[in-house]
DNA sequence: CGACGCGCGACTT
DNA sequence: TCGCGCGTCG
């Protein structure tokens, strides 16, 4: 997930640690719907009439999207040991187990006397059904994981008074499929290791036995951990469906992204649907998300950050604070630069060239983007720098450029590289109104079409920069080419159903699940009547300092006007509406300009959506 | 020699 | 996931 060592280099200096989400519980002051004017105008002192015309504002809950998949893997990881018999953890239990093992082996049992791999027997090895005992174990495991998740979610909704939107991963995008199959092989190896390491152990001294068994147990635990991130597909789908039904019964809105959750989360955030994102994934950084909360609850014992006895603390990372990172200098880095850096340094979609890490990638990107001489497209220059800077071994396969025979190798890397960039820049996401769409669609088929989401000027500017390189340009201008990478949109009604989890994605959506239609699903939540609270007396501190109000300022007791951080905040109080005017990723330097941008005004912005907006 | 990248082994809940 | 030691490169 994401780039390897980037969070440790950024969070300590640029992030705000120990961020207590309970400080968000007072919610947010927003200008009410009819006051839908650009934030700049609000700075003009109000006349008495205008001031008395009330209420100009309303209070609403803070909306947060949660990358649930991160939590799920954490939960699986943390409780992974429970998939194994807990008796492994005590001396006594181990003694009993080893005895059982011997017996089982003597009787030539197919099960290798290993009850640990309960789940894996289902499909991995013999295809047999798990025993009742094993099923019992799986059920406990799943309920432990789900309880863990629900506990956290409930904390956020009740203690922090947040309006949460859970986002889940969908299918694997085409570009990632190769990498995934690689990973599957590794996982399989780990699983086998875990299963096979239980070799028949002849009688030995008690002491030896104890030591040996302990070692074995430890190594198996670690093998199990390695295998743990990719638990049995069967178990996973069980967990998945149970989770969904739990979410439904708790009336928690959720959304299943068409493909990866990252892009979906970024889309939600950049369109102003949510105010912040809770995740563990570093990819969100380069997707232009304004506020990300990492390490909620502090996960590792070694790292005490965000750990507290009561409540959950997190590390808040604001986009504009990125430049202040001390571990790595990202001063004045735009979103494109971050994307290119991530891809260069090796991400989920594209392995880095040997010898290129985060530091080298940063240096190259800074050098190329900040230098003025630009007869050569930036992407081309970055690629050439990468060829130059990587380890000798790799370099000799790529350079010199004059060597035509090495063109093939360069093309191979370039393909992956550009695909990864495209994946970050134009993920396929689900929009409740438009269905599956390509975020920041700049393709020829799209431009000028009214049903598409407009793309901000800053995004265009950055994208133009990338498109100077012909191969990339061809990639993003043609939807078909893009579909080959980011995936294909589904038919609108199917997209709806899948986003709501009404259709089993594993079966390519052919078989619908039986779901009580009365259950609230994603965008049915119209619960909060925020305007009703407007009559309360609330201290309002007008935003005097700029267009964007700091998240933490908003909530440290006093409440400020939300100036919708450069776009139009959806004035409606429901998740069911996505602010159409809001734009995608902007570099930290440009503020409200994009909401006034010509292309926005020119584009026949879908008024039909605005209707629902108010 | 220093910096960077990478792999291994600690341990978590 | 984090920290540490080693290899490689400049």
């Amino acid at each position: 997930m994401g780039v390897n060592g980037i969070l440790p280099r950024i969070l300590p200096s640029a992030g705000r640690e120990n961020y207590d989400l309970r400080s968000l519980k007072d919610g947010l002051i927003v200008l009410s719907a009819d006051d839908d004017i650009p934030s700049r105008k609000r700075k003009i002192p109000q006349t008495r009439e205008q001031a008395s015309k009330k209420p100009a504002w309303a209070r609403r809950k803070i909306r947060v999207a949660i990358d649930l998949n991160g939590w799920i893997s954490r939960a699986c990881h943390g409780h992974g040991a429970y998939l194994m018999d807990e008796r492994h953890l005590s001396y006594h239990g181990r003694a009993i187990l080893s005895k059982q093992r011997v017996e089982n082996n003597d009787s030539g049992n197919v099960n290798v006397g290993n009850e640990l791999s309960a789940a894996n027997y289902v499909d991995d090895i013999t295809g047999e059904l798990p025993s009742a005992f094993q099923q019992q174990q799986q059920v406990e495991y799943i309920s432990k994981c789900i309880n863990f998740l629900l506990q956290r979610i409930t904390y956020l909704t009740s203690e922090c008074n947040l309006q949460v939107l859970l986002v889940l991963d969908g299918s694997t995008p085409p570009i990632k499929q190769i990498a995934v199959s690689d990973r599957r092989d590794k996982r399989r190896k780990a699983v086998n290791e875990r299963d096979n390491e239980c070799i028949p152990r002849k009688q030995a001294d008690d002491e030896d036995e104890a030591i040996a068994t302990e070692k074995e147990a430890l190594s198996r635990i670690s093998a199990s951990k390695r295998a743990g991130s990719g638990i049995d597909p069967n178990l996973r789908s069980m967990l998945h469906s149970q989770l969904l039904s739990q979410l439904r019964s708790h009336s928690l809105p959720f959304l299943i992204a068409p493909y990866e959750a990252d892009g979906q989360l970024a889309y939600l955030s950049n369109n102003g649907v949510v105010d912040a994102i809770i995740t563990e994934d570093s990819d969100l950084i380069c997707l232009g998300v304004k506020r990300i909360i990492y390490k909620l609850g502090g996960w590792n014992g070694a790292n005490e950050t965000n750990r507290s006895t009561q409540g959950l603390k997190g590390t808040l990372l604001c986009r504009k604070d990125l430049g202040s990172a001390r571990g790595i200098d990202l001063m004045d880095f735009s979103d494109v630069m971050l994307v290119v850096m991530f891809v260069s340094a090796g991400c989920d979609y594209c392995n880095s060239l040997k010898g290129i890490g985060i530091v080298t990638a940063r240096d190259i990107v800074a050098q190329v983007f900040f230098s003025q001489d630009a007869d050569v497209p930036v992407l081309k220059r970055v690629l050439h720098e990468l060829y130059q800077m990587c380890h000798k071994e790799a370099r000799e396969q790529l350079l010199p450029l004059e060597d035509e025979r090495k063109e093939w190798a360069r093309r191979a890397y370039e393909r992956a590289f550009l695909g990864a960039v495209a994946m970050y820049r134009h993920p396929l996401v689900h929009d409740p109104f438009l269905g599956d769409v390509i975020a920041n669609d700049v393709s020829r088929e799209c431009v000028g079409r009214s049903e598409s989401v407009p793309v901000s000027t800053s995004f265009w500017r950055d994208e133009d920069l990338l498109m100077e390189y012909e191969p990339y340009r061809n990639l993003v201008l043609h939807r078909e080419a893009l579909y080959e990478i980011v995936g294909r949109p589904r038919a609108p009604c199917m997209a709806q159903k899948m986003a709501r989890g009404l259709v089993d994605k594993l079966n390519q959506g052919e078989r619908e699940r039986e779901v009580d239609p009365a259950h609230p699903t994603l965008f049915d939540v119209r619960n909060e009547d925020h305007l009703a609270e407007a009559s309360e007396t609330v201290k309002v501190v007008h935003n005097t300092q700029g267009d964007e109000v700091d998240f933490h300022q908003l909530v440290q007791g006093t409440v400020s006007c939300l100036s919708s951080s450069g776009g139009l905040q959806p004035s409606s109080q429901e998740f069911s509406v996505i602010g159409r005017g809001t734009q995608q990723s902007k570099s930290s330097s440009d503020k409200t300009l994009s909401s006034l941008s010509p292309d926005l005004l020119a584009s026949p912005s879908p008024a039909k959506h605005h209707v629902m907006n108010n």
Side-chain angles (χ1 to χ4, degrees):
Chain A
M1 8 147 275
V3 175
N4 244 330
I6 223 186
L7 289 182
R9 292 180 199 252
I10 289 178
L11 291 186
S13 43
R16 306 165 209 256
E17 283 179 0
N18 241 8
Y19 187 77
D20 192 340
L21 275 77
R22 282 172 296 187
S23 61
L24 302 175
K25 65 168 177 267
D26 284 340
L28 205 57
I29 297 294
V30 289
L31 297 182
S32 60
D34 54 352
D35 198 17
D36 212 18
I37 51 175
S39 56
R40 283 162 186 274
K41 285 192 184 171
R42 280 181 220 139
K43 286 190 202 162
I44 299 169
Q46 293 184 330
T47 68
R48 192 163 295 177
E49 279 174 72
Q50 287 167 328
S52 63
K53 187 182 139 199
K54 58 187 300 191
W57 45 267
R59 179 181 276 229
R60 68 157 170 84
K61 286 186 179 186
I62 303 233
R63 299 186 286 235
V64 173
I66 299 174
D67 180 2
L68 246 199
N69 281 89
W71 285 13
I72 290 174
S73 35
R74 294 287 194 160
C76 294
H77 202 61
H79 298 279
Y82 288 98
L83 241 199
M84 320 211 302
D85 198 296
E86 288 177 24
R87 283 174 294 179
H88 274 289
L89 304 176
S90 77
Y91 272 93
H92 180 62
R94 280 200 289 270
I96 294 175
L97 279 179
S98 66
K99 204 182 278 177
Q100 282 182 353
R101 258 201 302 279
V102 172
E103 284 167 11
N104 284 334
N105 286 326
D106 285 348
S107 66
N109 196 327
V110 215
N111 271 3
V112 217
N114 188 350
E115 68 281 56
L116 305 185
S117 47
N120 300 302
Y121 280 113
V122 181
D123 65 338
D124 265 24
I125 301 178
T126 59
E128 289 174 18
L129 288 174
S131 72
F133 171 67
Q134 290 163 345
Q135 283 184 0
Q136 170 78 12
Q137 250 188 351
Q138 293 183 8
V139 169
E140 279 174 22
Y141 174 73
I142 287 179
S143 72
K144 271 207 158 66
C145 291
I146 290 187
N147 278 338
F148 173 85
L149 296 170
L150 286 179
Q151 217 176 314
R152 288 175 154 256
I153 296 168
T154 327
Y155 172 80
L156 294 177
T157 53
S158 55
E159 296 284 311
C160 307
N161 194 31
L162 297 173
Q163 196 168 355
V164 296
L165 172 57
L166 291 340
V167 178
L168 289 136
D169 269 342
S171 323
T172 307
I175 190 177
K176 213 177 167 185
Q177 244 143 26
I178 307 150
V180 163
S181 58
D182 281 357
R183 212 171 284 177
R184 193 180 299 143
D185 290 345
K186 264 184 203 159
R187 216 172 62 211
R188 244 191 145 72
K189 234 179 244 176
V191 168
N192 283 335
E193 191 181 330
R194 188 183 66 178
D195 295 344
N196 296 331
E197 224 160 86
C198 178
I199 44 171
R201 194 173 292 283
K202 293 301 173 193
Q203 299 282 358
D205 297 349
D206 278 358
E207 204 174 328
D208 279 358
E209 174 75 2
I211 294 170
T213 320
E214 181 159 14
K215 249 188 187 166
E216 182 188 305
L218 278 177
S219 88
R220 247 202 265 146
I221 286 174
S222 86
S224 170
K225 296 274 171 63
R226 262 174 283 147
S229 59
I231 46 173
D232 194 306
N234 235 311
L235 245 193
R236 201 175 172 88
S237 78
M238 277 171 68
L239 191 127
H240 194 258
S241 59
Q242 294 233 358
L243 180 61
L244 292 197
S245 76
Q246 283 291 313
L247 294 181
R248 286 197 189 95
S249 66
H250 286 249
S251 301
L252 291 163
F254 64 89
L255 168 63
I256 298 170
Y259 293 97
E260 303 241 287
D262 318 355
Q264 183 71 47
L265 288 161
Y267 184 78
L268 294 170
S269 169
N270 294 333
N271 284 294
V273 178
V274 296
D275 304 305
I277 290 175
I278 299 179
T279 184
E280 304 295 318
D281 194 338
S282 56
D283 283 349
L284 272 296
I285 293 175
C286 71
L287 292 173
V289 173
K290 288 287 186 303
R291 295 170 280 266
I292 314 172
I293 294 162
Y294 283 108
K295 298 188 188 306
L296 189 69
W299 295 91
N300 339 295
N303 189 355
E304 286 292 311
T305 24
N306 304 332
R307 267 213 157 166
S308 68
T309 44
Q310 55 168 359
L312 296 175
K313 304 282 186 64
T315 301
L316 173 67
L317 179 66
C318 296
R319 171 62 240 251
K320 61 176 190 174
D321 290 341
L322 259 193
S324 66
R326 262 182 283 279
I328 184 168
D329 184 12
L330 297 178
M331 181 112 69
D332 294 330
F333 265 52
S334 63
D335 290 339
V336 234
M337 293 173 73
L338 291 175
V339 167
V340 174
M341 184 182 82
F342 273 46
V343 175
S344 304
C347 58
D348 285 357
Y349 316 121
C350 173
N351 289 324
S352 70
L353 294 172
K354 282 272 171 280
I356 303 289
I358 191 68
V359 176
T360 317
R362 189 223 83 99
D363 290 344
I364 291 176
V365 168
Q367 184 199 322
V368 168
F369 279 79
F370 288 146
S371 67
Q372 293 296 329
D373 107 275
D375 283 341
V376 188
V378 281
L379 279 178
K380 191 170 188 175
R381 286 160 71 202
V382 168
L383 283 166
H384 287 178
E385 285 297 320
L386 288 173
Y387 300 152
Q388 210 83 51
M389 299 293 288
C390 62
H391 273 194
K392 216 185 209 166
E393 187 193 345
R395 185 164 59 229
E396 280 166 356
Q397 295 176 13
L398 300 163
L399 293 178
L401 286 173
E402 298 76 44
D403 194 336
E404 289 294 328
R405 292 166 304 173
K406 289 166 183 167
E407 180 65 16
W408 185 85
R410 287 195 293 268
R411 275 294 146 91
Y413 179 69
E414 182 183 289
R415 238 180 95 101
F417 186 94
L418 297 180
V421 174
M423 187 68 197
Y424 278 119
R425 298 288 285 175
H426 306 283
L428 192 100
V429 297
H430 182 76
D431 183 299
F433 294 111
L434 307 175
D436 288 352
V437 298
I438 287 195
N440 305 307
D441 198 343
V442 295
S443 64
R444 295 207 174 110
E445 293 90 335
C446 154
V447 172
R449 301 277 287 277
S450 62
E451 72 268 25
S452 59
V453 181
V455 177
S456 77
T457 40
S458 64
F459 191 95
W460 264 112
R461 198 181 51 227
D462 286 349
E463 197 67 6
D464 273 338
L465 202 60
L466 296 183
M467 285 195 295
E468 286 172 12
Y469 192 49
E470 198 63 29
Y472 181 78
R473 184 186 180 82
N474 291 333
L475 207 53
V476 295
L477 281 191
H478 303 291
R479 276 191 183 169
E480 273 305 319
L482 213 44
Y483 290 162
E484 297 294 323
I485 293 164
V486 303
R488 206 161 281 275
R490 303 151 301 193
C493 71
M494 188 54 68
Q496 272 282 344
K497 286 176 181 170
M498 291 179 91
R500 292 163 165 231
L502 297 178
V503 172
D504 196 341
K505 67 170 189 283
L506 296 176
N507 295 334
Q508 286 307 311
E510 293 309 326
R511 202 185 61 208
E512 293 194 21
R513 274 193 208 142
E514 61 308 324
V515 170
D516 182 359
H519 273 159
T521 47
L522 168 57
F523 293 98
D524 291 341
V525 216
R526 296 162 198 234
N527 43 358
E528 309 299 327
D529 191 3
H530 303 275
L531 289 169
E533 298 176 37
S535 54
E536 291 176 23
T537 319
V538 194
K539 277 185 290 181
V540 179
V541 178
H542 279 283
N543 169 24
T544 53
Q545 63 158 38
D547 295 309
E548 185 172 356
V549 180
D550 254 23
F551 202 39
H552 71 292
Q553 284 177 341
L554 284 170
V555 289
Q556 308 279 347
T558 51
V559 194
S560 314
C561 263
L562 177 75
S563 71
S564 69
S565 55
L568 302 177
Q569 198 77 10
S571 42
S572 154
Q573 286 75 42
E574 301 154 32
F575 269 141
S576 53
V577 176
I578 287 194
R580 285 295 131 202
T582 306
Q583 282 327 302
Q584 303 285 319
S585 10
K586 284 173 280 291
S587 76
S588 54
S589 54
D590 73 336
K591 303 265 180 184
T592 52
L593 287 176
S594 60
S595 61
L596 302 171
S597 64
D599 60 303
L600 263 193
L601 299 175
S603 92
S605 183
K608 51 186 173 185
H609 301 310
H610 272 300
V611 171
M612 311 182 68
N613 221 353
N614 299 318

